């Protein structure tokens, strides 16, 4: 019973964190990042102004060019590719560029065209750049104003601005930038994996068994995100990476925007799909261990890992908006009635699995409430400029069968392991 309560409490904590990161209405906010640079303000302004030599130092910009016939427009080409693998492009209008008598330079920017995202994404966005003269050089300030829903994108933009100004300082002052400054660096990600394991430990009890369970859960999360990364690479993403978030798990990030709905569904499904291949391997390993002499007690860790593997991936297959299951089902079923029926069916299968392993009715009701709350979490989606390539009937059929195969595989894993652990 204590384990069930700990699991429900952990789900509730995750629900709160997800809402804070993905859906909390932060309103209209201004990000402001400053950097002191030991160089004249005039020289710094020449390479930070919109039409300046940004390509020489900016971590994302590869070229800047004026738009012919429009002196107030500048087009930026970025390192990150669009859905076809070409450099993404963004046209920005330069408003109110000025120089004060005190030697300060400023301008305001707004996005008027984007080769990747729909223009509605940039409604309300503005950026202000300011370079001020100081006694030791100059002070660079970059401000970005937008309406935010969820803390995650707010923090993401803040980190990008910090990285941009650090690159400017390193370029001007002749410093060598360090990869350790990036959150994606393997060292930081390894530390976050260890931190996540330790934070999860109290939920399972501060014992060696609890540490084993928190370690298994962390390993399951890594395997799940590895499945997403395998799919990204298979679809030609130039750089897929994993970012670990303590308590919430990990996030696999592709190297470019999606091109087809089949790509969206497959990349979402492969998290649970790759993990599903381990289920028969673990079942066979358990049965093999039982046949060995003096095997009493050695099969327990295999069953515990099987339970955690199955339960975690079952939860990810839930048909909620931000979970993998919701992503897959929205691509497979165009009709809203069929989507609703499929969602109810999947939720019913997962609740039946809980009943089958002996969870008390109160826990199942709480779980259903949590699932319902999760389905209500909505985020401001980054709508693509052009519609994605639709799925063919064959792709829908293949993806749908793959989804239900993953669902059945992980439900079997949970039932098989629990019957032998608690039966």
């Amino acid at each position: 019973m204590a384990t069930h309560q700990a699991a429900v409490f952990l789900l509730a904590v995750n629900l709160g964190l997800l809402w804070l990161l993905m859906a909390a209405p932060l309103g209209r906010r201004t990000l402001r990042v400053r950097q002191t640079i030991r160089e004249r303000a005039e020289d710094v302004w020449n390479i930070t102004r919109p039409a300046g030599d940004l390509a020489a130092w900016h971590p994302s910009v590869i070229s800047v060019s004026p738009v012919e016939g429009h002196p107030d427009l500048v087009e930026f080409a970025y390192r990150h590719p669009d859905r076809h693998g070409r450099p993404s492009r963004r046209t920005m209008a330069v408003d109110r560029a000025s120089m004060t008598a005190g030697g300060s330079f400023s301008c305001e920017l707004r996005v008027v065209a984007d080769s990747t995202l729909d223009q509605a994404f940039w409604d309300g966005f503005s950026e202000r750049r300011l370079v001020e003269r100081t006694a030791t050089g100059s002070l660079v300030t970059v401000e970005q104003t937008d309406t935010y829903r969820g803390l995650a994108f707010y923090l993401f933009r803040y980190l990008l601005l910090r990285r941009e100004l650090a690159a400017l300082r390193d370029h001007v002052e002749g410093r060598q930038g360090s990869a350790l400054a990036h959150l994606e660096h393997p060292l930081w990600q390894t530390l976050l994996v260890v931190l996540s394991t330790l934070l999860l430990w109290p939920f399972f009890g501060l014992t060696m068994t609890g540490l084993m369970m928190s370690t298994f859960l962390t390993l399951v999360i890594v395997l799940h995100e590895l499945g997403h990364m395998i799919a990204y690479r298979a679809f030609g993403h130039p750089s897929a990476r994993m970012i670990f978030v303590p308590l919430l798990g990990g996030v696999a990030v592709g190297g470019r925007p999606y091109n087809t709905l089949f790509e969206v569904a497959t990349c979402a499904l492969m998290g649970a799909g790759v993990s599903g291949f381990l289920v028969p391997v673990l079942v066979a390993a358990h049965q093999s261990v039982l046949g060995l002499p003096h095997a009493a007690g050695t099969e327990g860790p295999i069953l515990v890992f099987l339970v955690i593997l199955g339960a975690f991936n079952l939860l990810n297959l839930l048909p909620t908006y931000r979970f993998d299951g919701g992503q897959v089902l929205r691509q497979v079923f165009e009709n809203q009635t069929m989507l609703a029926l499929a969602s109810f069916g999947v939720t019913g299968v997962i609740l039946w699995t809980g009943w089958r392993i002996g969870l008390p009715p109160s826990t199942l009701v709480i779980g259903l409430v949590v699932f319902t709350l999760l389905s209500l979490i909505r985020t401001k989606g980054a709508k693509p400029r052009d519609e994605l390539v639709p799925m063919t009937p064959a792709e829908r059929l293949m993806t749908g069968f793959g989804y239900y195969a993953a669902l059945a595989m992980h439900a079997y894993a949970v039932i098989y392991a629990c019957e032998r652990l608690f039966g």
Side-chain angles (χ1 to χ4, degrees):
M1 179 65 70
T3 303
H4 298 158
Q5 292 173 344
V8 171
F9 181 66
L10 182 58
L11 276 175
V13 170
N14 273 263
L15 176 63
L17 290 175
L18 280 172
W19 179 83
L20 177 64
L21 289 173
M22 308 302 295
L26 301 183
R28 192 163 180 80
R29 301 282 176 177
T30 297
L31 282 167
R32 184 178 294 105
V33 178
R34 291 186 170 96
Q35 181 68 60
T36 301
I37 299 177
R38 294 192 297 271
E39 185 58 80
R40 293 192 321 141
E42 293 84 352
D43 295 333
V44 174
W45 176 249
N46 283 334
I47 62 173
T48 56
R49 63 189 178 90
D53 191 15
L54 274 72
W57 61 268
H58 199 288
S60 300
V61 175
I62 57 177
S63 68
V64 181
S65 56
V67 177
E68 187 176 354
H70 299 275
D72 61 330
L73 298 182
V74 180
E75 184 183 68
F76 297 82
Y78 293 92
R79 299 185 191 281
H80 49 268
D82 63 12
R83 57 193 285 186
H84 302 295
R86 300 185 295 261
S88 60
R89 297 182 177 275
R90 193 175 301 155
T91 303
M92 304 188 78
V94 182
D95 299 328
R96 290 194 286 275
S98 64
M99 180 181 68
T100 66
S104 297
F105 307 86
S106 67
C107 70
E108 294 188 11
L109 303 168
R110 52 190 174 85
V111 179
V112 297
D114 192 310
S115 66
T116 300
L117 299 175
D118 186 83
Q119 184 59 32
F121 179 81
W122 297 106
D123 288 347
F125 172 86
S126 64
E127 180 176 312
R128 181 171 180 261
R129 298 184 176 219
L130 174 65
V131 177
E132 300 171 278
R133 181 175 292 143
T134 66
T136 58
S138 58
L139 175 65
V140 181
T141 303
V142 179
E143 298 177 350
Q144 288 185 350
T145 301
D146 203 353
T147 300
Y148 292 92
R149 188 171 181 85
L151 193 59
F153 192 50
Y154 181 88
L155 294 175
F156 173 72
R157 274 186 171 165
Y158 175 77
L159 291 175
L160 287 184
L161 284 180
R162 294 279 299 180
R163 185 177 299 180
E164 175 183 337
L165 290 188
L168 172 63
R169 178 203 61 204
D170 294 340
H171 173 75
V172 172
E173 299 182 0
R175 301 187 187 184
Q176 184 66 37
S178 174
L180 282 174
H182 299 169
L183 183 64
E184 302 95 327
H185 192 278
L187 175 61
W188 293 116
Q189 289 303 305
T190 301
L191 291 176
L192 288 175
V193 168
V194 174
L195 176 62
S196 180
T197 303
L198 295 177
L199 290 176
L200 290 169
W201 188 6
F203 290 98
F204 300 103
L206 293 173
T207 63
M208 292 307 299
T209 300
L211 180 60
M212 178 189 71
M213 295 175 69
S214 66
T215 303
F216 282 172
L217 178 55
T218 301
L219 180 58
V220 164
I221 294 171
V222 171
L223 290 171
H224 181 92
E225 300 306 327
L226 180 62
H228 291 310
M229 292 175 65
I230 290 172
Y232 282 132
R233 291 299 176 89
F235 278 97
H237 288 243
S239 61
R241 57 201 183 279
M242 182 193 310
I243 298 176
F244 220 84
V245 184
L247 286 182
L248 284 178
V251 179
V253 182
R256 59 165 176 77
Y258 294 116
N259 184 41
T260 69
L261 295 181
F262 180 63
E263 182 182 346
V264 176
T266 304
C267 289
L269 176 60
M270 284 296 283
V274 169
S275 297
F277 286 106
L278 291 177
V279 174
V281 175
L282 291 170
V283 170
H286 173 256
Q287 294 177 349
S288 298
V289 167
L290 290 178
L292 297 176
H294 311 295
T298 60
E299 76 279 5
I302 297 177
L303 294 175
V304 171
F305 185 78
L306 200 55
V307 170
I308 295 174
L309 179 77
F312 178 84
N313 285 284
L314 277 181
L315 291 177
N316 270 275
L317 290 171
L318 278 168
T320 55
Y321 185 80
R322 294 301 305 175
F323 280 25
D324 296 338
Q327 295 253 28
V328 175
L329 291 179
R330 286 199 305 275
Q331 317 313 322
V332 172
F333 296 102
E334 291 181 306
N335 183 280
Q336 292 299 311
T337 301
M338 293 301 299
L339 176 60
L341 290 174
S343 299
F344 280 118
V346 170
T347 304
V349 168
I350 295 176
L351 290 175
W352 173 83
T353 303
W355 172 82
R356 181 69 173 74
I357 63 176
L359 291 180
S362 59
T363 301
L364 295 177
V365 171
I366 293 173
L368 182 60
V369 171
V370 171
F371 300 160
T372 303
L373 292 174
L374 283 172
S375 67
L376 297 177
I377 294 179
R378 292 289 189 270
T379 61
K380 178 185 177 182
K383 183 181 177 182
R385 176 179 175 176
D386 302 311
E387 294 294 331
L388 302 187
V389 178
M391 294 176 72
T392 65
E395 289 171 340
R396 293 182 189 280
L397 185 66
M398 183 167 56
T399 306
F401 275 117
Y403 176 81
Y404 287 109
L407 183 71
M409 189 71 74
H410 290 295
Y412 172 75
V414 172
I415 294 172
Y416 175 91
C418 287
E419 283 183 344
R420 285 151 182 81
L421 283 172
F422 309 114

mmCIF file of all heavy atoms in Angstrom, residues 4 307 314 347-361 363-364 408 410-423:
data_model
loop_
_atom_site.group_PDB
_atom_site.id
_atom_site.type_symbol
_atom_site.label_atom_id
_atom_site.label_comp_id
_atom_site.label_asym_id
_atom_site.label_seq_id
_atom_site.Cartn_x
_atom_site.Cartn_y
_atom_site.Cartn_z
ATOM 1 N N HIS A 4 2.052 1.983 -3.432
ATOM 2 C CA HIS A 4 1.003 2.571 -4.258
ATOM 3 C C HIS A 4 0.837 4.052 -3.941
ATOM 4 O O HIS A 4 0.712 4.894 -4.845
ATOM 5 C CB HIS A 4 -0.328 1.843 -4.025
ATOM 6 C CG HIS A 4 -0.281 0.395 -4.401
ATOM 7 N ND1 HIS A 4 -1.173 -0.536 -3.892
ATOM 8 C CD2 HIS A 4 0.566 -0.290 -5.221
ATOM 9 C CE1 HIS A 4 -0.876 -1.734 -4.392
ATOM 10 N NE2 HIS A 4 0.168 -1.594 -5.200
ATOM 11 N N VAL A 307 8.514 -4.352 -13.895
ATOM 12 C CA VAL A 307 7.352 -3.568 -13.462
ATOM 13 C C VAL A 307 7.555 -2.089 -13.784
ATOM 14 O O VAL A 307 6.674 -1.424 -14.337
ATOM 15 C CB VAL A 307 7.093 -3.751 -11.953
ATOM 16 C CG1 VAL A 307 6.048 -2.747 -11.468
ATOM 17 C CG2 VAL A 307 6.621 -5.159 -11.654
ATOM 18 N N LEU A 314 3.616 2.498 -20.032
ATOM 19 C CA LEU A 314 2.158 2.554 -20.105
ATOM 20 C C LEU A 314 1.662 3.975 -19.860
ATOM 21 O O LEU A 314 0.767 4.466 -20.548
ATOM 22 C CB LEU A 314 1.526 1.607 -19.086
ATOM 23 C CG LEU A 314 1.383 0.132 -19.481
ATOM 24 C CD1 LEU A 314 0.723 -0.644 -18.349
ATOM 25 C CD2 LEU A 314 0.567 -0.017 -20.770
ATOM 26 N N THR A 347 -7.265 4.241 -22.231
ATOM 27 C CA THR A 347 -7.375 4.518 -20.796
ATOM 28 C C THR A 347 -7.983 3.339 -20.071
ATOM 29 O O THR A 347 -7.546 2.965 -18.967
ATOM 30 C CB THR A 347 -8.218 5.786 -20.565
ATOM 31 O OG1 THR A 347 -7.655 6.876 -21.294
ATOM 32 C CG2 THR A 347 -8.265 6.137 -19.088
ATOM 33 N N GLY A 348 -8.991 2.705 -20.692
ATOM 34 C CA GLY A 348 -9.608 1.533 -20.090
ATOM 35 C C GLY A 348 -8.638 0.374 -19.951
ATOM 36 O O GLY A 348 -8.624 -0.324 -18.920
ATOM 37 N N VAL A 349 -7.797 0.159 -20.961
ATOM 38 C CA VAL A 349 -6.803 -0.917 -20.897
ATOM 39 C C VAL A 349 -5.823 -0.688 -19.754
ATOM 40 O O VAL A 349 -5.477 -1.609 -18.999
ATOM 41 C CB VAL A 349 -6.051 -1.031 -22.245
ATOM 42 C CG1 VAL A 349 -4.831 -1.938 -22.110
ATOM 43 C CG2 VAL A 349 -6.978 -1.574 -23.327
ATOM 44 N N ILE A 350 -5.380 0.550 -19.596
ATOM 45 C CA ILE A 350 -4.410 0.850 -18.538
ATOM 46 C C ILE A 350 -5.047 0.718 -17.159
ATOM 47 O O ILE A 350 -4.439 0.178 -16.221
ATOM 48 C CB ILE A 350 -3.821 2.260 -18.764
ATOM 49 C CG1 ILE A 350 -3.013 2.270 -20.071
ATOM 50 C CG2 ILE A 350 -2.938 2.681 -17.591
ATOM 51 C CD1 ILE A 350 -2.464 3.617 -20.454
ATOM 52 N N LEU A 351 -6.297 1.191 -17.019
ATOM 53 C CA LEU A 351 -6.989 1.017 -15.733
ATOM 54 C C LEU A 351 -7.253 -0.456 -15.453
ATOM 55 O O LEU A 351 -7.140 -0.915 -14.300
ATOM 56 C CB LEU A 351 -8.304 1.803 -15.737
ATOM 57 C CG LEU A 351 -8.172 3.333 -15.711
ATOM 58 C CD1 LEU A 351 -9.538 3.985 -15.841
ATOM 59 C CD2 LEU A 351 -7.480 3.781 -14.427
ATOM 60 N N TRP A 352 -7.593 -1.233 -16.482
ATOM 61 C CA TRP A 352 -7.806 -2.671 -16.294
ATOM 62 C C TRP A 352 -6.515 -3.350 -15.845
ATOM 63 O O TRP A 352 -6.540 -4.249 -15.001
ATOM 64 C CB TRP A 352 -8.285 -3.299 -17.602
ATOM 65 C CG TRP A 352 -8.364 -4.809 -17.522
ATOM 66 C CD1 TRP A 352 -9.371 -5.557 -17.018
ATOM 67 C CD2 TRP A 352 -7.341 -5.731 -17.940
ATOM 68 N NE1 TRP A 352 -9.066 -6.886 -17.090
ATOM 69 C CE2 TRP A 352 -7.825 -7.032 -17.644
ATOM 70 C CE3 TRP A 352 -6.090 -5.604 -18.519
ATOM 71 C CZ2 TRP A 352 -7.084 -8.178 -17.935
ATOM 72 C CZ3 TRP A 352 -5.353 -6.732 -18.797
ATOM 73 C CH2 TRP A 352 -5.852 -8.001 -18.510
ATOM 74 N N THR A 353 -5.395 -2.902 -16.400
ATOM 75 C CA THR A 353 -4.102 -3.458 -15.975
ATOM 76 C C THR A 353 -3.879 -3.204 -14.487
ATOM 77 O O THR A 353 -3.413 -4.089 -13.759
ATOM 78 C CB THR A 353 -2.955 -2.837 -16.794
ATOM 79 O OG1 THR A 353 -3.194 -3.069 -18.197
ATOM 80 C CG2 THR A 353 -1.615 -3.440 -16.410
ATOM 81 N N GLY A 354 -4.199 -1.983 -14.041
ATOM 82 C CA GLY A 354 -4.089 -1.687 -12.613
ATOM 83 C C GLY A 354 -4.995 -2.568 -11.772
ATOM 84 O O GLY A 354 -4.591 -3.065 -10.710
ATOM 85 N N TRP A 355 -6.231 -2.784 -12.224
ATOM 86 C CA TRP A 355 -7.163 -3.668 -11.490
ATOM 87 C C TRP A 355 -6.651 -5.106 -11.506
ATOM 88 O O TRP A 355 -6.744 -5.811 -10.494
ATOM 89 C CB TRP A 355 -8.540 -3.592 -12.148
ATOM 90 C CG TRP A 355 -9.512 -4.591 -11.602
ATOM 91 C CD1 TRP A 355 -10.257 -4.495 -10.471
ATOM 92 C CD2 TRP A 355 -9.815 -5.875 -12.176
ATOM 93 N NE1 TRP A 355 -11.024 -5.624 -10.294
ATOM 94 C CE2 TRP A 355 -10.763 -6.490 -11.330
ATOM 95 C CE3 TRP A 355 -9.383 -6.562 -13.320
ATOM 96 C CZ2 TRP A 355 -11.288 -7.748 -11.596
ATOM 97 C CZ3 TRP A 355 -9.901 -7.816 -13.577
ATOM 98 C CH2 TRP A 355 -10.840 -8.398 -12.719
ATOM 99 N N ARG A 356 -6.076 -5.517 -12.628
ATOM 100 C CA ARG A 356 -5.611 -6.908 -12.779
ATOM 101 C C ARG A 356 -4.480 -7.229 -11.813
ATOM 102 O O ARG A 356 -4.356 -8.371 -11.337
ATOM 103 C CB ARG A 356 -5.148 -7.106 -14.228
ATOM 104 C CG ARG A 356 -4.648 -8.498 -14.553
ATOM 105 C CD ARG A 356 -5.778 -9.525 -14.544
ATOM 106 N NE ARG A 356 -5.305 -10.808 -15.014
ATOM 107 C CZ ARG A 356 -4.529 -11.634 -14.310
ATOM 108 N NH1 ARG A 356 -4.141 -11.295 -13.086
ATOM 109 N NH2 ARG A 356 -4.146 -12.801 -14.812
ATOM 110 N N ILE A 357 -3.644 -6.242 -11.478
ATOM 111 C CA ILE A 357 -2.531 -6.508 -10.562
ATOM 112 C C ILE A 357 -2.916 -6.246 -9.109
ATOM 113 O O ILE A 357 -2.059 -6.325 -8.214
ATOM 114 C CB ILE A 357 -1.288 -5.674 -10.933
ATOM 115 C CG1 ILE A 357 -1.566 -4.175 -10.795
ATOM 116 C CG2 ILE A 357 -0.824 -6.013 -12.344
ATOM 117 C CD1 ILE A 357 -0.361 -3.293 -11.056
ATOM 118 N N GLY A 358 -4.175 -5.879 -8.889
ATOM 119 C CA GLY A 358 -4.651 -5.766 -7.519
ATOM 120 C C GLY A 358 -4.604 -4.390 -6.901
ATOM 121 O O GLY A 358 -4.666 -4.267 -5.670
ATOM 122 N N LEU A 359 -4.505 -3.328 -7.707
ATOM 123 C CA LEU A 359 -4.546 -1.986 -7.131
ATOM 124 C C LEU A 359 -5.925 -1.725 -6.533
ATOM 125 O O LEU A 359 -6.945 -2.090 -7.128
ATOM 126 C CB LEU A 359 -4.246 -0.934 -8.192
ATOM 127 C CG LEU A 359 -2.811 -0.894 -8.737
ATOM 128 C CD1 LEU A 359 -2.684 0.210 -9.780
ATOM 129 C CD2 LEU A 359 -1.803 -0.674 -7.618
ATOM 130 N N PRO A 360 -6.007 -1.080 -5.376
ATOM 131 C CA PRO A 360 -7.302 -0.801 -4.754
ATOM 132 C C PRO A 360 -8.116 0.176 -5.591
ATOM 133 O O PRO A 360 -7.543 1.023 -6.301
ATOM 134 C CB PRO A 360 -6.930 -0.204 -3.394
ATOM 135 C CG PRO A 360 -5.535 0.283 -3.545
ATOM 136 C CD PRO A 360 -4.881 -0.621 -4.544
ATOM 137 N N PRO A 361 -9.445 0.093 -5.518
ATOM 138 C CA PRO A 361 -10.301 0.998 -6.318
ATOM 139 C C PRO A 361 -9.994 2.474 -6.085
ATOM 140 O O PRO A 361 -10.054 3.276 -7.013
ATOM 141 C CB PRO A 361 -11.715 0.637 -5.854
ATOM 142 C CG PRO A 361 -11.609 -0.775 -5.369
ATOM 143 C CD PRO A 361 -10.246 -0.894 -4.777
ATOM 144 N N THR A 363 -7.141 3.870 -5.476
ATOM 145 C CA THR A 363 -5.955 4.239 -6.252
ATOM 146 C C THR A 363 -6.294 4.397 -7.728
ATOM 147 O O THR A 363 -5.797 5.313 -8.396
ATOM 148 C CB THR A 363 -4.853 3.179 -6.073
ATOM 149 O OG1 THR A 363 -4.517 3.069 -4.691
ATOM 150 C CG2 THR A 363 -3.610 3.533 -6.865
ATOM 151 N N LEU A 364 -7.153 3.512 -8.242
ATOM 152 C CA LEU A 364 -7.551 3.608 -9.644
ATOM 153 C C LEU A 364 -8.346 4.883 -9.905
ATOM 154 O O LEU A 364 -8.172 5.533 -10.953
ATOM 155 C CB LEU A 364 -8.375 2.380 -10.031
ATOM 156 C CG LEU A 364 -7.641 1.036 -10.001
ATOM 157 C CD1 LEU A 364 -8.598 -0.103 -10.334
ATOM 158 C CD2 LEU A 364 -6.462 1.041 -10.967
ATOM 159 N N ALA A 408 0.084 -3.412 -25.486
ATOM 160 C CA ALA A 408 -0.111 -4.776 -25.001
ATOM 161 C C ALA A 408 1.171 -5.329 -24.391
ATOM 162 O O ALA A 408 1.128 -6.022 -23.352
ATOM 163 C CB ALA A 408 -0.572 -5.659 -26.160
ATOM 164 N N HIS A 410 3.667 -3.770 -22.843
ATOM 165 C CA HIS A 410 3.985 -3.208 -21.536
ATOM 166 C C HIS A 410 2.930 -3.578 -20.492
ATOM 167 O O HIS A 410 3.263 -3.725 -19.310
ATOM 168 C CB HIS A 410 4.156 -1.701 -21.646
ATOM 169 C CG HIS A 410 5.397 -1.299 -22.383
ATOM 170 N ND1 HIS A 410 6.669 -1.557 -21.908
ATOM 171 C CD2 HIS A 410 5.581 -0.681 -23.581
ATOM 172 C CE1 HIS A 410 7.565 -1.110 -22.753
ATOM 173 N NE2 HIS A 410 6.933 -0.577 -23.786
ATOM 174 N N ALA A 411 1.682 -3.732 -20.913
ATOM 175 C CA ALA A 411 0.661 -4.221 -19.977
ATOM 176 C C ALA A 411 0.997 -5.646 -19.535
ATOM 177 O O ALA A 411 0.877 -5.996 -18.343
ATOM 178 C CB ALA A 411 -0.712 -4.170 -20.627
ATOM 179 N N TYR A 412 1.444 -6.466 -20.479
ATOM 180 C CA TYR A 412 1.850 -7.838 -20.140
ATOM 181 C C TYR A 412 3.037 -7.834 -19.185
ATOM 182 O O TYR A 412 3.099 -8.630 -18.239
ATOM 183 C CB TYR A 412 2.213 -8.593 -21.416
ATOM 184 C CG TYR A 412 2.822 -9.960 -21.155
ATOM 185 C CD1 TYR A 412 2.027 -11.026 -20.739
ATOM 186 C CD2 TYR A 412 4.190 -10.165 -21.311
ATOM 187 C CE1 TYR A 412 2.586 -12.269 -20.486
ATOM 188 C CE2 TYR A 412 4.758 -11.406 -21.068
ATOM 189 C CZ TYR A 412 3.959 -12.450 -20.652
ATOM 190 O OH TYR A 412 4.513 -13.679 -20.392
ATOM 191 N N ALA A 413 3.998 -6.915 -19.399
ATOM 192 C CA ALA A 413 5.168 -6.840 -18.532
ATOM 193 C C ALA A 413 4.760 -6.561 -17.094
ATOM 194 O O ALA A 413 5.260 -7.190 -16.155
ATOM 195 C CB ALA A 413 6.118 -5.750 -19.032
ATOM 196 N N VAL A 414 3.835 -5.618 -16.897
ATOM 197 C CA VAL A 414 3.393 -5.270 -15.548
ATOM 198 C C VAL A 414 2.665 -6.450 -14.896
ATOM 199 O O VAL A 414 2.918 -6.801 -13.736
ATOM 200 C CB VAL A 414 2.487 -4.024 -15.595
ATOM 201 C CG1 VAL A 414 1.855 -3.766 -14.230
ATOM 202 C CG2 VAL A 414 3.284 -2.804 -16.046
ATOM 203 N N ILE A 415 1.758 -7.082 -15.642
ATOM 204 C CA ILE A 415 0.984 -8.196 -15.083
ATOM 205 C C ILE A 415 1.889 -9.381 -14.773
ATOM 206 O O ILE A 415 1.805 -9.988 -13.696
ATOM 207 C CB ILE A 415 -0.141 -8.593 -16.064
ATOM 208 C CG1 ILE A 415 -1.151 -7.452 -16.183
ATOM 209 C CG2 ILE A 415 -0.829 -9.873 -15.602
ATOM 210 C CD1 ILE A 415 -2.187 -7.663 -17.264
ATOM 211 N N TYR A 416 2.783 -9.721 -15.685
ATOM 212 C CA TYR A 416 3.688 -10.862 -15.488
ATOM 213 C C TYR A 416 4.529 -10.670 -14.235
ATOM 214 O O TYR A 416 4.661 -11.564 -13.396
ATOM 215 C CB TYR A 416 4.581 -11.016 -16.719
ATOM 216 C CG TYR A 416 5.636 -12.100 -16.588
ATOM 217 C CD1 TYR A 416 5.373 -13.408 -16.994
ATOM 218 C CD2 TYR A 416 6.897 -11.816 -16.070
ATOM 219 C CE1 TYR A 416 6.333 -14.398 -16.877
ATOM 220 C CE2 TYR A 416 7.863 -12.793 -15.945
ATOM 221 C CZ TYR A 416 7.585 -14.089 -16.344
ATOM 222 O OH TYR A 416 8.532 -15.075 -16.213
ATOM 223 N N ALA A 417 5.123 -9.477 -14.099
ATOM 224 C CA ALA A 417 6.018 -9.245 -12.969
ATOM 225 C C ALA A 417 5.262 -9.166 -11.648
ATOM 226 O O ALA A 417 5.708 -9.727 -10.637
ATOM 227 C CB ALA A 417 6.811 -7.966 -13.213
ATOM 228 N N CYS A 418 4.119 -8.474 -11.627
ATOM 229 C CA CYS A 418 3.375 -8.331 -10.368
ATOM 230 C C CYS A 418 2.809 -9.650 -9.871
ATOM 231 O O CYS A 418 2.762 -9.892 -8.672
ATOM 232 C CB CYS A 418 2.249 -7.306 -10.558
ATOM 233 S SG CYS A 418 2.831 -5.593 -10.648
ATOM 234 N N GLU A 419 2.372 -10.509 -10.784
ATOM 235 C CA GLU A 419 1.856 -11.813 -10.369
ATOM 236 C C GLU A 419 2.933 -12.625 -9.658
ATOM 237 O O GLU A 419 2.641 -13.392 -8.733
ATOM 238 C CB GLU A 419 1.331 -12.578 -11.587
ATOM 239 C CG GLU A 419 -0.032 -12.090 -12.058
ATOM 240 C CD GLU A 419 -0.542 -12.932 -13.208
ATOM 241 O OE1 GLU A 419 0.260 -13.668 -13.836
ATOM 242 O OE2 GLU A 419 -1.768 -12.863 -13.500
ATOM 243 N N ARG A 420 4.167 -12.469 -10.064
ATOM 244 C CA ARG A 420 5.251 -13.253 -9.455
ATOM 245 C C ARG A 420 5.862 -12.561 -8.247
ATOM 246 O O ARG A 420 6.443 -13.213 -7.386
ATOM 247 C CB ARG A 420 6.313 -13.540 -10.523
ATOM 248 C CG ARG A 420 5.841 -14.624 -11.499
ATOM 249 C CD ARG A 420 6.427 -14.495 -12.876
ATOM 250 N NE ARG A 420 5.877 -15.534 -13.754
ATOM 251 C CZ ARG A 420 4.692 -15.427 -14.347
ATOM 252 N NH1 ARG A 420 3.933 -14.355 -14.162
ATOM 253 N NH2 ARG A 420 4.241 -16.406 -15.119
ATOM 254 N N LEU A 421 5.719 -11.239 -8.178
ATOM 255 C CA LEU A 421 6.221 -10.526 -7.011
ATOM 256 C C LEU A 421 5.252 -10.585 -5.830
ATOM 257 O O LEU A 421 5.646 -10.713 -4.688
ATOM 258 C CB LEU A 421 6.515 -9.068 -7.358
ATOM 259 C CG LEU A 421 7.797 -8.769 -8.123
ATOM 260 C CD1 LEU A 421 7.824 -7.310 -8.560
ATOM 261 C CD2 LEU A 421 9.028 -9.076 -7.254
ATOM 262 N N PHE A 422 3.948 -10.460 -6.165
ATOM 263 C CA PHE A 422 2.946 -10.341 -5.097
ATOM 264 C C PHE A 422 1.942 -11.476 -5.094
ATOM 265 O O PHE A 422 1.060 -11.522 -4.228
ATOM 266 C CB PHE A 422 2.186 -9.012 -5.256
ATOM 267 C CG PHE A 422 3.083 -7.820 -5.394
ATOM 268 C CD1 PHE A 422 3.116 -7.098 -6.586
ATOM 269 C CD2 PHE A 422 3.924 -7.439 -4.369
ATOM 270 C CE1 PHE A 422 3.949 -5.994 -6.728
ATOM 271 C CE2 PHE A 422 4.752 -6.334 -4.498
ATOM 272 C CZ PHE A 422 4.770 -5.610 -5.682
ATOM 273 N N GLY A 423 2.018 -12.360 -6.106
ATOM 274 C CA GLY A 423 1.028 -13.427 -6.197
ATOM 275 C C GLY A 423 1.223 -14.521 -5.156
ATOM 276 O O GLY A 423 2.217 -14.611 -4.483
#
